[in-house]
Amino acid sequence: MAYTTIKKPSDYFNTVLYTGNGVDDRSITGVGFQPDFTWIKSRTTTDYHTLFDVVRGVGKRIFSNVTEAEDTTPDSLQAFESDGFEVGTNNGVNGNNYNFVSWNWLGANGTAANTDGSISSTVSANTTSGFSIVSWTGTNATGTVGHGLGSTPKVVIYKNRTDVTNWYFTTTVIDGSNDLLFLNTTEASQTFSAPVATNSLLNLIANNDTNGSGDNIIAYCFAEKQGYSKFGSYVGNGNADGTFVYTGFKPAFVMVKNVNSGAQGWLMFDDERSPFNVANKFMVANLSQAEASTSTHTMDFLSNGFKIRGTDDGVNGSGNTIIYMAFAEQPLVGDNPATAR
């Protein structure tokens, strides 16, 4: 049986914690690679989630917890560097004595033109790890845009950078069809009328949020790679002996969302903020709230997956379908096998 070619998952995804100092031109190191997509959140304040990528360019911020359009803030993320990134004096990325978490993904360490679709795009694609960043100018009409992965993404997250719009989180992991949630809200899932993506193309419809006429659109595309990433769903049972979810690796990061309940948000866990089981420190992608830690929002990170330990509906609603995105700390098999926590 063939296993992942990714021997060291932290070469493609890594979580780095740091404490802000309010000083300009500050390098945050320890990522282990030059990231192409960096998501930063203050753990101790209610500053917004701030997302940056190489395709849009440094200093250009979008915020997962609100509908706001992109803004340009030169004193935010100022550079992507060989072992991390540089930040300025902005409180959202470097507030003095604020504790921060940054989640970092590797793309292509550069951008390329893509003409596979009816609409030309600019992409930074990593076919090994199944991640690409895609930017294009919308037409508000049916069309296609190339994503550069060479494999079909299971999750695509869209944001109209120009207009005040919802974040579209589209996925096939619930029932194989193209389902839609909103990353900035707690709403339950619904069917999305756009056709499912292919191994080369995103299928677009006349929709302002994902393809507004003349608007700048960004999409983050994730294809599953054995031993490195897993995107799926499980059914909650409502008790502390919760569902075990097999991923084939020890998780470094897990984000979950109850798709049945409109009152539950996007909960984000990682192995840096919770280095030992249970993993109980979480951020909420659709809220600006500081990091929280409760006994009802918990899971164990295991050598081959994760097991739900909390009873809250957000992680374990009884009979509810809960989707997840997981990235590996270590694969279960191969040259760098996982060990117990």
Side-chain angles (χ1 to χ4, degrees):
M1 184 176 183
Y3 294 106
T4 179
T5 58
I6 297 179
K7 298 179 181 180
K8 188 178 178 184
S10 60
D11 285 344
Y12 299 87
F13 168 81
N14 208 358
T15 302
V16 169
L17 309 180
Y18 64 97
T19 301
N21 64 9
V23 176
D24 201 16
D25 303 324
R26 183 194 176 187
S27 291
I28 305 300
T29 60
V31 173
F33 54 85
Q34 180 175 309
D36 294 285
F37 175 39
T38 294
W39 181 330
I40 300 173
K41 177 66 178 80
S42 168
R43 303 167 59 190
T44 44
T45 71
T46 58
D47 287 272
Y48 286 179
H49 293 257
T50 52
L51 285 67
F52 305 90
D53 66 70
V54 68
V55 175
R56 291 181 297 119
V58 296
K60 296 183 182 296
R61 308 184 303 172
I62 45 178
F63 315 98
S64 68
N65 54 290
V66 292
T67 59
E68 291 179 16
E70 176 185 271
D71 74 14
T72 301
T73 304
D75 64 350
S76 58
L77 190 141
Q78 298 174 316
F80 292 107
E81 300 182 329
S82 61
D83 188 31
F85 51 92
E86 180 185 287
V87 291
T89 58
N90 182 266
N91 279 345
V93 297
N94 195 25
N96 190 33
N97 292 323
Y98 294 6
N99 293 326
F100 289 92
V101 57
S102 68
W103 301 290
N104 303 273
W105 285 263
L106 177 67
N109 274 175
T111 64
N114 185 300
T115 57
D116 291 343
S118 62
I119 303 169
S120 296
S121 61
T122 301
V123 304
S124 181
N126 193 306
T127 57
T128 301
S129 65
F131 170 64
S132 71
I133 308 163
V134 187
S135 177
W136 68 95
T137 302
T139 63
N140 201 27
T142 300
T144 57
V145 62
H147 57 65
L149 283 180
S151 55
T152 303
K154 285 193 171 184
V155 171
V156 182
I157 305 172
Y158 299 84
K159 181 66 178 79
N160 184 320
R161 301 161 53 190
T162 306
D163 290 350
V164 175
T165 61
N166 283 318
W167 285 77
Y168 272 42
F169 183 105
T170 65
T171 183
T172 58
V173 304
I174 300 173
D175 56 11
S177 64
N178 209 14
D179 290 298
L180 168 65
L181 298 99
F182 303 112
L183 185 63
N184 56 288
T185 79
T186 60
E187 291 184 33
S189 64
Q190 58 186 274
T191 300
F192 188 37
S193 56
V196 173
T198 71
N199 64 357
S200 60
L201 298 172
L202 302 179
N203 290 301
L204 307 175
I205 57 175
N207 175 285
N208 187 65
D209 292 358
T210 60
N211 196 28
S213 180
D215 293 347
N216 295 320
I217 314 294
I218 196 75
Y220 303 109
C221 307
F222 299 89
E224 195 170 271
K225 296 296 180 178
Q226 185 179 24
Y228 168 73
S229 61
K230 186 75 173 175
F231 315 116
S233 66
Y234 62 92
V235 177
N237 64 13
N239 67 63
D241 185 16
T243 302
F244 167 72
V245 180
Y246 178 83
T247 60
F249 53 77
K250 181 195 294 185
F253 172 94
V254 177
M255 180 166 70
V256 298
K257 171 70 173 78
N258 186 327
V259 305
N260 299 121
S261 173
Q264 305 302 321
W266 300 81
L267 307 177
M268 309 169 79
F269 302 83
D270 64 67
D271 63 344
E272 292 295 325
R273 291 178 299 123
S274 295
F276 305 102
N277 287 327
V278 292
N280 61 354
K281 294 180 180 179
F282 62 94
M283 309 299 301
V284 186
N286 57 286
L287 296 175
S288 64
Q289 70 178 43
E291 178 179 272
S293 176
T294 72
S295 61
T296 58
H297 298 74
T298 58
M299 63 180 68
D300 285 341
F301 286 179
L302 306 174
S303 63
N304 58 351
F306 59 96
K307 181 174 176 61
I308 304 303
R309 294 296 187 185
T311 57
D312 184 84
D313 283 352
V315 295
N316 201 16
S318 182
N320 291 170
T321 297
I322 297 158
I323 62 170
Y324 66 88
M325 297 181 68
F327 295 91
E329 176 191 349
Q330 291 176 303
L332 179 62
V333 294
D335 294 338
N336 188 33
T339 55
R341 280 172 34 120

